[in-house]
Amino acid sequence: MITREEIIRRTNDALKKEFEFSDAQLVPTAQLKDDLCLDSLDAVDMVVVLEQQFGVTLRQGYDLRTIVTLNDLYDFIEKLAREHHK
């Protein structure tokens, strides 16, 4: 099973590549909308990139609007990974 550290690294790598963020911007408390300035179209791009990165579907019956910070995103991916490996 994937570790939390691996989830954080792979998520941050994908976000840096897609949106050209710096390491300094990608702290767990960073808010996707307010701190990283991701709008709804960016969120769709983020979902697609992360689905490809982790081989899971993020939209399946989940309310993605509850993901406010990067830490929320890491938690969400970790939960999906656990469910996927059951």
Side-chain angles (χ1 to χ4, degrees):
M1 177 147 156
I2 191 168
T3 65
R4 181 159 183 98
E5 291 76 22
E6 181 74 5
I7 288 169
I8 291 169
R9 185 188 64 73
R10 288 173 61 183
T11 300
N12 287 357
D13 286 350
L15 294 176
K16 283 190 282 190
K17 184 177 179 183
E18 181 71 19
F19 299 106
E20 300 179 1
F21 291 130
S22 68
D23 287 329
Q25 291 174 289
L26 297 175
V27 296
T29 57
Q31 293 188 9
L32 300 176
K33 182 178 178 185
D34 295 337
D35 297 327
L36 300 178
C37 300
L38 296 180
D39 61 22
S40 58
L41 293 177
D42 292 328
V44 171
D45 291 339
M46 180 185 71
V47 166
V48 170
V49 166
L50 293 174
E51 285 178 338
Q52 293 170 348
Q53 179 66 242
F54 292 100
V56 296
T57 301
L58 300 180
R59 292 167 274 187
Q60 227 173 276
Y62 297 102
D63 188 358
L64 298 177
R65 292 173 294 182
T66 62
I67 299 172
V68 176
T69 66
L70 273 179
N71 199 56
D72 295 340
L73 183 60
Y74 303 147
D75 289 345
F76 181 71
I77 293 170
E78 188 173 25
K79 177 183 172 192
L80 285 179
R82 275 196 308 268
E83 290 174 1
H84 184 70
H85 284 59
K86 283 186 177 179

